[in-house]
Amino acid sequence: KNISMTTEHLIAFNIFLFVSMLSPGPALLMVARQTLEQGFSVGFKTGIGLGTMAAFWTMCALIGLGAVFGLFPFAYSAVRLIGALVLLYFAYSIWQSASQIAKARPILFSNPIVLGLMTNAMNPKSVLFASSVLLAIFPQNMTIFEDGLIVANHFGMEVIFYAGLTFILSRKGIAEVYLQAKSIIDRIFAGLLAALSLFILWEVLIH
């Protein structure tokens, strides 16, 4: 039986998606570097590439996990448990590195959209993160339309976020102020991930 997705599910997903994009990592730092070095247009195109690949990973997670759970319903709890542990590890890693100044990847592709695509394609954490968050927030056995809506929503959120980010970073002096807040942002994100992972663990254990 299909369980309908609600507006609350999308809101919860968008909150965690926004916080994850806000936390300085390879994707955000790549956009920052492109914007600071080559301007708004190049930075935004890089963001489109990043958003396209991120939405693609979400689509793969939805399709793959739905098929697996359709054949093996007992796998749902097992994957939720693994996903919670993965999120907890991410939270620990982010907290540990919060005070470090990360460096952007070297520029390997001249086309900014391709650069964005490859940056997220070479980041296996995005696959695990998407799977974990999707399992934690959305119901099982959603319709194809609902799956498509989640993917479109993800892409739209990424484009809006990077449009705003590149506009801000193209303003003089803003980038330096943002990077100074890296430690605080990382610790907030780590705390949210830890809270989500502990909630999933509690749900799995009581069932």
Side-chain angles (χ1 to χ4, degrees), residues 79-90:
V79 176
R80 277 176 64 92
L81 177 61
I82 294 172
L85 294 176
V86 169
L87 289 180
L88 197 58
Y89 173 75
F90 286 170

Side-chain angles (χ1 to χ4, degrees), residues 9 12 24 27-28 58-59 61 67 73 86 92 109 129 132 156 184 186 203 206:
H9 288 133
L28 188 145
T58 293
M59 180 182 71
V86 169
Y92 172 77
F109 304 95
F129 179 80
S132 302
I184 296 174
D186 274 5
E203 279 199 327
I206 64 171

